[in-house]
Amino acid sequence: MAGKLILAGAAVVAIYLISVPLIFLLGTAFRGPADFLPFEPGSRWTLDNLWDVYLDPALYRSILPNTAIFAAGSVTITFVIAFTLAWLVERTDLPFRSAIFTAILFPLLVPTVVLAIAWTLLCAPNAGWVNVAIRGLFGVQGPGPINIFTMPGLIICQGIASTPFVFLLLCAALRTMNPSLEEASNTSGASPIVTFFKITLPVLRPGILAPLILATLLTLEQFDLPLIIGFPARVNVFTTRLFFDLNAEDQLPKYGSAAAVALLFLVIAILLLALYNYMVRRAERYVTMTGKGYRPTRLKLGRWRAPALVFVGAYLTFAAVLPALVLLWTSLTGGVTWSEATLSWTAYEKLTSDPRFWKAVVNTFIVAACSAGIATLVGALISWQILRTRFIGRNLLDFISFLSIGIPSVIAGFAVMLLYLSLPIGVYGTIWILVLAYSYRIAVTTRLSRAALMQIHAELEEASSISGAGWLDTIRRIVLPLMTPALLSSFLLLFMVGFREFTIPMMLQSDDNWVLSVVMWRLQNDRQTGEAAAVGTLIVLFVIPIIFLMRRYLLAQQNND
Amino acid sequence: MLKVKSLHKTYQGPDGSFHAVRGVSFEIPQGGFFTLLGPSGCGKTTTLRCIAGLEDADGGSITIGEQLVADPTNGVHMPAFRRNIGMVFQSYAIWPHMDVFSNVAYPLRVARPRPSHDEIETSVMEALKLVGMESLAKRSATKLSGGQQQRIAFARALVRQPQLLLLDEPLSNLDAKLREQMRFELQELVARTGVTTLYVTHDQAEALAMSDQVAVMSGGQIVQSGDPRAVYERPQDAQVADFLGIANFMPGRISALGDSKSLSVKLDGSIGVLRLPDLNSFAPETAVRVVFRPEDVVMRTAAADDTVEGRIERINFQGTVSECHVRAGETLVRMLIHPSVRVQRGDQIWLAVDPTRCVVFPAESVALR
């Protein structure tokens, strides 16, 4: 009985966290006038929002093409870099593979807003390090020659920032391929190059396309770089359009038209998600029976070893080394030019004497830990329910939890805002609204705990029942201990996702609920570059040990190097 | 046809190097069927992969036909794709993105010069016919059963009529009944095409049934090779005997040497004396183990001068035969009896061992069991 209550509770919480805000969003799109909350007195049902948004030529002249160019361009760059890196690390005798794998996790875990600000410090047309260095080398006059505040600048930065995530997915795809498929081609008389194009690539195709679709989906929802690099470049994509609809300087928030814009992108996201799901299923069909483990023979790079190392080195320099160095340097000098620079702790002293900084530190950790805890617990319970019970609604539950991957966080943040602006329970403007908003990412846990549950044979639980244990005892003494590793990794992943989060706290920010990423952006926006860089440096220092923790967790699944 | 001379292969791992193949030499005549037999980790698959060109040998040489394909000391490493071979993998390695026809046609389509469209069509259909799969030519590779995948793998390996066919445990992924059927088919197939075949397996029944020549491998070396019957009946040492499924190891001492061709072994515990042919020229009083198979022991109900006394400890009825455990002195002897023989646990009986089916090894060469 208690068991049923707990399960029902978890299902209700999951459905509430994911779908109630979305239903509010849907409603808002059809309520008017645009600057009214959906159920505020004086609002009514209307199609005005849709007409306003979809009959506006600006949508077709700037937002849609910009978003498409941004997504297509950066996904292409991500893919070229990530596939090359994954192939080098997994299938060749590249030296320092293990260290390279670890280093690539750096841009995955450091918040994108930190990288974005570091890149503007590196490539800003006037004082950017790279530009100063180029001008010095070639004796040209400034500003430039590189201007990061352009569409190509935005695309390249986003491409580099998204690379590690796709890299990890491609490594997994390369690793699950049965090496004798390629060997069979060799013994059939096909050369390595013919084998690569006729066997390796086609066999991997579904395993490559699925990450490609996921990368497109994730690029669509990117907000950090479009705000920090795209906005000064006057490149408006869907996420920034939504944000400025709600945070315009000279007018009231336009809830209705923002919701109407969100609707279109929600539909696109769900279509991509369906395509992704289809590709994953095809990829699973392609995983043929594997023989007992001969490791894939690694291609000998020979004279290509040096160019390969240069490529990896260039990526890591721009994605990890230079950003870390420029932040450290700027935090110690206050962002003045080289000749005037003197090292001092001023920025750190200012920062640590400001109570708002400490509050943001506490907020960041509370929100990340609470949301990771809620999502892990709820996700684990509903995946148990989906796999082990015959409860009628379990397919719906499965669908809704899977949906959470596809909801762009800017839409999630907006939907949560609408819900708690309308519900008078007093969470709006506190850190608890952030906890509620972050917790919708249940799919991370359901996937990990589902994989873990499939490993736990149902007979282990049945044996516990036959020994006289009730449902709660079985869960507590058998299922939970066996699932602990999966739950811990899910918690760690979600904690880092929460720690990096910038979009949702920007959407829902008030004076009381700043988190570190928001603080850094505000400082940078107020031209307090030194303090902003100090926040960035502290975040990097916190992330570095986590990288090694993640590496150990990822190694456990990999044992390849 | 295939000549392998003192082949060496060492793997460099994170925890030091592993010398997987240590000086393996053998030859297969044209049309021969040669089997490398051994437990997992004995180096048989590594040897096969060196011959295929999937691993680079570190020492020795490999010649396929007239072609020297590997001679690392002289810098010869012919890559796999230039060697004229066909190979069937343990996992079959059927490419999931192609249909059956394209899988089999692949070796011809990548050949230079490339055969004409019609030639490819004819050869593929012939190869498919050879394995009885011609009706499945257009089926998707992901919709094949294990047995079907295996036949397609054979057709693909044979389609370009290679000089040498390499088989890496091709039957080990099939269930027992299908395995037996495929064993006959495989024998038939190899006999019909007349291709020179190198077969790698850990299953002694497969090795004995199919091969012209068997080589037993252990610790990266060939410990014994020859005609399957000779290897089975006269294992060269206790390790080979053990691997070939010989279950009985009776301790004793050389008590008397007859003429140069026979000897007597007094079994420990004074339970009997065996008179056996001498093949190893032992000195008197040497501690030895007499080794024989369960099917070479006969049960007697009365003592005679060549019998060993024992007591029945257990009888396992197995249908066509019963396995009987007999305590003789300190040793437990396994033997097979016809199920109609009515004996029971605790009965005293006498064992007679066929002396021509016994092998004697020095005691120190036999690990304690």
Side-chain angles (χ1 to χ4, degrees):
Chain A
M1 193 54 219
K4 283 196 176 146
L5 275 179
I6 290 175
L7 286 179
V12 168
V13 171
I15 291 173
Y16 172 78
L17 285 173
I18 297 167
S19 52
V20 172
L22 284 185
I23 291 168
F24 252 77
L25 179 78
L26 270 179
T28 309
F30 298 96
R31 298 286 286 187
D35 52 0
F36 272 54
L37 281 167
F39 300 105
E40 215 174 310
S43 66
R44 58 193 156 75
W45 292 105
T46 172
L47 290 175
D48 288 352
N49 298 320
L50 296 182
W51 300 140
D52 283 352
V53 167
Y54 293 103
L55 293 180
D56 177 9
L59 182 72
Y60 307 98
R61 269 208 315 269
S62 76
I63 304 296
L64 277 181
N66 276 345
T67 309
I69 293 168
F70 164 66
S74 56
V75 167
T76 308
I77 289 178
T78 297
F79 238 73
V80 171
I81 303 177
F83 188 82
T84 313
L85 289 175
W87 186 75
L88 285 171
V89 166
E90 289 294 330
R91 302 307 299 275
T92 71
D93 65 343
L94 185 78
F96 320 117
R97 291 191 296 271
S98 185
I100 289 169
F101 191 96
T102 311
I104 292 174
L105 296 179
F106 181 88
L108 179 72
L109 295 182
V110 172
T112 311
V113 55
V114 175
L115 288 176
I117 289 175
W119 282 328
T120 62
L121 293 172
L122 286 170
C123 296
N126 287 312
W129 278 17
V130 176
N131 281 319
V132 173
I134 294 176
R135 290 199 297 261
L137 271 175
F138 298 100
V140 281
Q141 294 299 311
I146 294 172
N147 184 2
I148 193 176
F149 298 112
T150 55
M151 179 60 117
L154 174 63
I155 285 176
I156 291 170
C157 288
Q158 185 62 57
I160 289 172
S162 308
T163 293
F165 179 71
V166 176
F167 164 81
L168 287 181
L169 294 175
L170 290 177
C171 280
L174 282 168
R175 224 176 287 136
T176 51
M177 182 177 171
N178 180 357
S180 53
L181 292 176
E182 287 169 311
E183 290 170 358
S185 170
N186 279 323
T187 58
S188 298
S191 66
I193 291 184
V194 172
T195 302
F196 183 79
F197 285 104
K198 287 199 136 180
I199 305 294
T200 315
L201 280 185
V203 170
L204 285 175
R205 196 189 298 136
I208 291 176
L209 286 180
L212 183 73
I213 294 159
L214 202 54
T216 312
L217 189 60
L218 292 181
T219 309
L220 271 185
E221 69 161 337
Q222 285 304 318
F223 172 68
D224 318 30
L225 285 157
L227 178 70
I228 291 162
I229 295 176
F231 180 62
R234 300 183 183 284
V235 175
N236 244 334
V237 296
F238 129 78
T239 48
T240 41
R241 153 80 192 256
L242 201 75
F243 181 77
F244 288 114
D245 266 355
L246 300 170
N247 295 279
E249 299 211 336
D250 48 357
Q251 49 189 327
L252 290 169
K254 292 187 285 185
Y255 301 111
S257 49
V261 174
L263 223 48
L264 171 66
F265 285 91
L266 202 56
V267 169
I268 294 175
I270 286 170
L271 287 180
L272 284 171
L273 199 61
L275 196 60
Y276 168 74
N277 203 23
Y278 169 76
M279 283 297 163
V280 168
R281 272 159 212 254
R282 267 195 58 167
E284 278 162 6
R285 205 156 49 96
Y286 265 34
V287 174
T288 48
M289 175 174 48
T290 49
K292 62 167 186 259
Y294 255 94
R295 288 180 199 176
T297 15
R298 291 182 178 273
L299 189 83
K300 294 193 176 60
L301 284 171
R303 61 204 163 92
W304 291 99
R305 173 181 285 224
L309 277 178
V310 168
F311 176 81
V312 175
Y315 174 75
L316 289 177
T317 305
F318 201 71
V321 179
L322 281 180
L325 286 180
V326 80
L327 287 174
L328 182 64
W329 174 261
T330 310
S331 71
L332 294 174
T333 60
V336 291
T337 52
W338 282 86
S339 44
E340 310 164 19
T342 47
L343 297 183
S344 78
W345 295 105
T346 323
Y348 290 93
E349 280 157 11
K350 265 196 188 160
L351 200 62
T352 49
S353 61
D354 187 344
R356 282 182 305 175
F357 167 73
W358 292 110
K359 192 165 180 197
V361 172
V362 173
N363 285 351
T364 306
F365 283 91
I366 289 181
V367 174
C370 287
S371 61
I374 292 176
T376 301
L377 186 69
V378 171
L381 282 169
I382 66 172
S383 51
W384 189 89
Q385 203 164 355
I386 290 164
L387 275 182
R388 293 284 204 261
T389 67
R390 305 205 171 280
F391 155 64
I392 307 158
R394 65 186 196 281
N395 287 331
L396 179 71
L397 206 54
D398 196 15
F399 173 77
I400 288 177
S401 68
F402 178 65
L403 206 62
S404 67
I405 312 178
I407 303 172
S409 42
V410 60
I411 290 181
F414 176 40
V416 165
M417 170 202 286
L418 290 171
L419 175 62
Y420 297 107
L421 277 174
S422 309
L423 272 187
I425 54 171
V427 295
Y428 192 84
T430 67
I431 57 171
W432 307 112
I433 193 173
L434 297 184
V435 173
L436 288 168
Y438 287 16
S439 301
Y440 83 98
R441 290 198 181 87
I442 287 168
V444 176
T445 324
T446 48
R447 304 214 122 191
L448 284 170
S449 37
R450 184 185 282 219
L453 269 174
M454 303 246 229
Q455 305 286 317
I456 303 173
H457 204 288
E459 284 175 4
L460 293 176
E461 293 169 36
E462 287 160 9
S464 164
S465 312
I466 288 179
S467 312
W471 184 84
L472 263 181
D473 273 326
T474 302
I475 293 287
R476 197 163 53 86
R477 291 169 185 266
I478 309 291
V479 180
L480 275 183
L482 289 170
M483 280 178 71
T484 305
L487 294 182
L488 277 180
S489 26
S490 141
F491 180 86
L492 182 64
L493 273 176
L494 285 166
F495 180 86
M496 284 317 290
V497 169
F499 178 80
R500 298 178 80 242
E501 189 59 69
F502 176 66
T503 316
I504 292 176
M506 280 294 283
M507 298 292 291
L508 298 173
Q509 65 175 306
S510 73
D511 290 342
D512 274 337
N513 66 4
W514 286 357
V515 293
L516 280 175
S517 54
V518 173
V519 166
M520 183 174 176
W521 179 79
R522 294 194 75 98
L523 288 168
Q524 173 73 5
N525 225 25
D526 297 344
R527 307 252 170 244
Q528 292 172 286
T529 315
E531 285 94 287
V535 176
T537 309
L538 292 174
I539 290 177
V540 167
L541 288 178
F542 171 73
V543 164
I544 286 173
I546 306 268
I547 293 176
F548 290 95
L549 203 65
M550 292 283 270
R551 170 66 172 148
R552 273 184 64 184
Y553 145 71
L554 288 165
L555 246 186
Q557 303 179 324
Q558 185 191 15
N559 62 61
N560 195 16
D561 274 286
Chain B
M1 218 324 283
L2 173 71
K3 282 198 198 78
V4 178
K5 264 193 218 148
S6 53
L7 187 73
H8 280 271
K9 173 71 189 173
T10 305
Y11 288 109
Q12 305 298 338
D15 6 280
S17 61
F18 173 61
H19 201 165
V21 178
R22 310 165 179 239
V24 164
S25 303
F26 62 92
E27 283 187 27
I28 313 180
Q30 180 66 45
F33 193 119
F34 190 95
T35 298
L36 290 173
L37 173 67
S40 64
C42 72
K44 57 189 193 301
T45 298
T46 306
T47 305
L48 181 95
R49 289 170 62 86
C50 287
I51 294 167
L54 297 172
E55 304 282 344
D56 288 339
D58 300 325
S61 70
I62 301 168
T63 310
I64 300 175
E66 297 301 309
Q67 177 82 51
L68 181 67
V69 296
D71 185 2
T73 39
N74 294 315
V76 179
H77 282 294
M78 184 188 271
F81 71 95
R82 293 198 202 283
R83 301 186 185 188
N84 188 3
I85 51 174
M87 179 160 170
V88 176
F89 291 80
Q90 194 179 6
S91 64
Y92 315 134
I94 299 300
W95 299 305
H97 61 296
M98 299 179 183
D99 64 10
V100 166
F101 185 92
S102 306
N103 260 283
V104 178
Y106 185 86
L108 302 173
R109 286 181 176 159
V110 298
R112 295 290 173 271
R114 181 177 164 154
S116 75
H117 190 77
D118 292 344
E119 282 169 329
I120 292 179
E121 172 95 27
T122 318
S123 308
V124 171
M125 290 319 287
E126 255 172 41
L128 283 174
K129 209 167 182 177
L130 201 62
V131 295
M133 290 279 113
E134 65 269 38
S135 58
L136 295 186
K138 289 292 155 221
R139 176 159 309 181
S140 152
T142 50
K143 296 197 175 74
L144 295 172
S145 70
Q148 288 169 333
Q149 289 193 29
Q150 203 220 26
R151 285 174 219 213
I152 303 304
F154 267 104
R156 184 176 68 191
L158 291 170
V159 72
R160 60 170 174 156
Q161 298 175 325
Q163 279 183 293
L164 178 64
L165 178 64
L166 303 172
L167 307 175
D168 183 10
E169 305 230 11
L171 303 180
S172 66
N173 276 330
L174 300 176
D175 60 58
K177 205 168 167 191
L178 192 56
R179 183 155 59 220
E180 193 148 324
Q181 184 197 338
M182 287 307 293
R183 196 168 87 197
F184 290 122
E185 280 188 27
L186 200 160
Q187 262 178 296
E188 178 70 13
L189 201 65
V190 169
R192 227 181 317 157
T193 53
V195 63
T196 310
T197 306
L198 175 62
Y199 188 89
V200 156
T201 183
H202 64 269
D203 184 318
Q204 46 145 331
E206 282 172 22
L208 297 172
M210 305 198 322
S211 333
D212 305 331
Q213 294 273 302
V214 174
V216 181
M217 283 189 75
S218 168
Q221 289 171 317
I222 292 183
V223 284
Q224 186 174 4
S225 65
D227 167 55
R229 180 172 286 269
V231 172
Y232 185 74
E233 288 177 356
R234 292 271 155 223
Q236 185 174 294
D237 62 25
Q239 211 180 356
V240 177
D242 190 21
F243 183 68
L244 291 176
I246 307 184
N248 295 315
F249 289 71
M250 293 202 76
R253 252 166 218 291
I254 306 287
S255 58
L257 296 167
D259 51 48
S260 64
K261 293 217 165 46
S262 74
L263 51 72
S264 299
V265 177
K266 184 170 180 241
L267 297 175
D268 288 359
S270 305
I271 49 173
V273 175
L274 297 175
R275 265 170 288 281
L276 308 166
D278 182 8
L279 299 170
N280 295 49
S281 310
F282 286 102
E285 287 305 307
T286 317
V288 293
R289 295 280 187 279
V290 180
V291 175
F292 52 89
R293 292 190 154 73
E295 61 266 35
D296 295 327
V297 192
V298 188
M299 190 178 285
R300 298 270 165 77
T301 47
D305 55 342
D306 60 346
T307 55
V308 177
E309 191 187 324
R311 195 172 288 281
I312 296 181
E313 251 186 26
R314 178 188 292 184
I315 301 169
N316 293 331
F317 175 63
Q318 294 174 350
T320 54
V321 73
S322 287
E323 190 194 30
C324 200
H325 291 189
V326 178
R327 178 68 65 183
E330 299 279 295
T331 321
L332 197 64
V333 176
R334 289 156 188 255
M335 62 181 298
L336 300 178
I337 57 173
H338 195 271
S340 64
V341 178
R342 295 288 167 197
V343 284
Q344 44 180 310
R345 199 173 152 185
D347 284 359
Q348 175 152 28
I349 49 107
W350 285 265
L351 303 171
V353 188
D354 180 351
T356 62
R357 313 278 294 178
C358 289
V359 193
V360 184
F361 296 125
E364 67 268 15
S365 74
V366 182
L368 275 179
R369 290 154 61 81

